[in-house]
Amino acid sequence: MKIISWNVNGLGNQKKNSSIKNLLRKFQPEIILLQETKKEEITANCISSFWAVRDRKWIFTPSFDSSGGLLIAWRSDKFDDIQVEYGIFFLSVKLQDKQVKDQWWITCIYGPPLNMGKLEFWTELNDIGNLVLGPWCVGGDFNEILFPSDRKGQSRITRNSKCFHDWIAEFALIDLPLPNLQHTWSNFRINASCSKIDRFFISKD
């Protein structure tokens, strides 16, 4: 099974949708997680502009003041949706494989970029972790580093990094490696700031 997770920083313009379409054509995923759609509504025409599969379903949370917005889309010829949960910072769906009948949760995350939203963010992550039962995949843009090496120039563990570690340990999650990719975000300036703030986790079961 192939899953793609990407902070697209806005859907809608032709160049961005073309980039997404080329990525999906190359990797042929069954499930897509998008963060920062910056769309109040995700229509069938919007999905068709970047994903050409015929049998598909999706859920989304709208953007707020032209920021945020989450999308999970999946091939409906392969999975049935059983249950949906959502919050300010997450979107989750319980899927069932149509062939083997296995059920599992997948969660798309977009964490707050500012410290003032972090406490509510960690609370929501704990809430959804306590809600899901069975296999769980969770990924997205957490807007938080896990280790000092995840941010250029960082030398110590921050309080929010400690909360991140505690959440991973609480739900026994496995941090999947990103081969040959030290950072996932940059401001692309001279002496650029670089961070690894996008991650994907799976539960041990």
Side-chain angles (χ1 to χ4, degrees):
M1 178 171 53
K2 294 181 182 179
I3 303 172
I4 281 183
S5 176
W6 189 8
N7 182 328
V8 294
N9 194 26
L11 289 174
N13 73 71
Q14 186 174 357
K15 184 177 180 181
K16 177 64 65 64
N17 286 9
S18 178
S19 296
I20 299 170
K21 188 174 185 177
N22 290 337
L23 183 74
L24 300 184
R25 185 185 294 119
K26 177 180 179 180
F27 291 102
Q28 297 293 313
E30 287 88 11
I31 301 172
I32 303 167
L33 312 181
L34 299 184
Q35 304 91 49
E36 278 207 285
T37 63
K38 300 185 179 181
K39 299 282 284 185
E40 293 184 1
E41 186 176 1
I42 305 291
T43 65
N45 284 339
C46 179
I47 297 290
S48 296
S49 69
F50 59 83
W51 203 22
V53 299
R54 183 180 63 182
D55 299 313
R56 72 222 170 175
K57 289 188 73 175
W58 66 94
I59 55 175
F60 70 95
T61 58
S63 62
F64 179 74
D65 288 342
S66 300
S67 65
L70 297 170
L71 169 72
I72 302 178
W74 61 93
R75 289 188 52 169
S76 57
D77 58 331
K78 293 181 177 293
F79 306 104
D80 289 318
D81 52 303
I82 307 300
Q83 184 178 345
V84 172
E85 300 288 342
Y86 60 89
I88 298 173
F89 304 109
F90 76 89
L91 178 63
S92 293
V93 60
K94 186 177 186 179
L95 297 175
Q96 177 174 276
D97 188 291
K98 287 192 171 186
Q99 288 189 336
V100 299
K101 304 303 181 183
D102 287 342
Q103 295 184 5
W104 48 281
W105 284 90
I106 186 158
T107 299
C108 184
I109 299 288
Y110 179 64
L114 302 177
N115 281 330
M116 65 180 183
K118 296 290 187 181
L119 180 59
E120 188 173 9
F121 177 57
W122 301 123
T123 299
E124 276 206 352
L125 287 192
N126 280 289
D127 288 345
I128 186 60
N130 288 319
L131 175 68
V132 301
L133 297 174
W136 186 24
C137 299
V138 51
D141 182 351
F142 289 79
N143 266 315
E144 188 55 58
I145 63 171
L146 194 54
F147 305 102
S149 58
D150 290 339
R151 176 168 292 144
K152 184 179 178 181
Q154 186 78 24
S155 61
R156 62 182 180 85
I157 290 284
T158 66
R159 180 178 62 181
N160 283 306
S161 294
K162 176 70 165 51
C163 291
F164 205 170
H165 278 278
D166 290 346
W167 175 72
I168 294 168
E170 175 69 21
F171 298 103
L173 297 174
I174 299 170
D175 183 13
L176 297 181
L178 300 175
N180 304 316
L181 189 63
Q182 183 177 2
H183 301 116
T184 62
W185 175 87
S186 172
N187 60 4
F188 297 105
R189 299 174 181 171
I190 299 175
N191 298 320
S193 297
C194 302
S195 300
K196 182 180 180 181
I197 53 178
D198 303 86
R199 303 190 105 91
F200 204 92
F201 301 92
I202 56 172
S203 60
K204 290 183 178 180
D205 54 359

